[in-house]
């Protein structure tokens, strides 16, 4: 199979083309065609000579992801199901909010972190996505929005999978998204969410301009371990230590995500413990009321629980906001994505 140029960074294109005796500006031209102009064929690249286009077409290809299913929520959220070249299924979501158009991308088919409350984990791990497949989700969302006169304004790595368990492909994707010649999104507009893989968090912090969000979800190791097996490797203290020891600097902030689960991690004592843990960190807390899914026994908290947390955290000088539940009616809300894995599981368990 020809080498796919989709998902290649400017540096990778430059190296590829220099091996063919081409000047660096050729790579910049092709890079812009791929990500700014969303080209799907070399024929479109009209500022390249016919012979260069031919040469490219002989060696390379440009993959393109089209959804096999599109679902639109009553609140404007849109979910795409993409079937990959090997038949695996992944999902992406566009979340409109005022002027903002946030695309939530998947980084793995399934996930191996095993968080007990998440539908993606419940369905098991299949494989890492390539940068072509990650960027392909953004390219399609961008095309979809352009047809309505809109643009992708933000990208969050919060769909299926653990981004930092696939850190190399995710770093390449961040580079393409934040490059002026690519999507031109500022680092503030790109967020990587992780269950807390500390060494990779450091890598993202030092080597990219993206924002980091970490899913804490509990205030004691006992509870966190029960919810998130990864806590055995990176317990709460290590994550808080990371948040405390690095100054995110101007234009950057850390986000702590906290999923509120009824009777598990949502008590007043939890709120105080969270306040004490985070009071010397430069963080913003995102409170997420639990979205129920068929894989888990957990329940959503009673209405207004996030208000109690918000008020208590405020006393510790910590800013907290509630994440609105979006796209719940099309199973596009946090923790509800599972691609086509559901069908496989159904077969495995002999369900209808
Ligand atoms: N693996 C990454 C990103 C994917 S999950 C991570 O762990 O951060 C994105 C967010 O959704 C995380 O904060 C996760 O804790 C949260 N989440 C997972 N399942 C959820 C559910 N059922 N309801 C609400 N939030 C959930």
């Amino acid at each position: 199979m020809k080498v796919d140029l989709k998902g290649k960074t400017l540096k990778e294109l430059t190296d590829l083309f220099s091996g063919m005796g081409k000047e660096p500006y050729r790579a910049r031209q092709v890079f812009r065609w791929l990500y700014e102009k969303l080209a799907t064929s070399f024929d479109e690249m009209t500022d390249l000579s016919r012979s260069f286009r031919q040469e490219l077409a002989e060696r390379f290809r440009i993959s393109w992801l089209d959804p096999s299913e599109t679902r639109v929520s009553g609140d404007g959220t849109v979910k795409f199901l993409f079937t990959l070249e090997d038949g695996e299924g992944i999902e992406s979501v566009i979340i409109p909010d005022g002027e903002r158009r946030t695309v939530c991308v998947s980084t793995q088919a399934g996930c191996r972190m095993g968080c007990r409350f998440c539908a993606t984990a419940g369905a098991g791990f299949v494989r890492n996505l390539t940068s072509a497949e990650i960027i392909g989700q953004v390219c399609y969302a961008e095309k979809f929005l352009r047809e309505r006169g809109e643009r992708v304004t933000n990208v969050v790595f919060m769909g299926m999978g653990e981004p930092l368990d696939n850190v190399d492909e995710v770093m390449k994707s961040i580079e393409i998204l934040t490059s002026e010649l690519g999507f031109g999104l500022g680092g503030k507009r790109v967020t990587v969410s992780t269950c807390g893989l500390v060494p990779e968090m450091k890598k993202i912090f030092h080597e990219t301009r993206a924002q980091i969000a970490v899913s804490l979800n509990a205030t004691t190791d006992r509870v966190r371990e029960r919810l998130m097996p990864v806590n055995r490797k990176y317990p709460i203290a290590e994550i808080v230590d990371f948040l405390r020891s690095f100054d995110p600097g101007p234009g950057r902030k850390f986000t702590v995500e906290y999923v509120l689960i009824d009777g598990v991690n949502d008590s007043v004592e939890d709120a105080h413990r969270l306040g004490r843990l985070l009071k010397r960190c430069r963080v913003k807390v995102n409170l997420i009321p639990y979205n129920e899914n068929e894989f888990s026994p957990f329940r959503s908290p009673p209405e207004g629980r996030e208000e109690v947390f918000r008020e208590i955290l405020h006393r510790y000088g910590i800013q907290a906001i509630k994440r609105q539940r979006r796209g719940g009616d099309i199973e596009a809300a946090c923790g509800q994505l599972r691609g086509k894995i559901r069908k496989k599981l159904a077969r495995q368990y002999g369900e209808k």
Side-chain angles (χ1 to χ4, degrees), residues 117 158-159 161-162 193-195 215 217 257 259 290-291 293 334-335:
F117 49 85
M158 291 187 191
E162 166 51 45
S193 178
T194 175
C195 61
S215 303
N217 296 348
E257 295 165 283
V259 180
Y290 185 64
N291 297 307
N293 64 67
C334 297

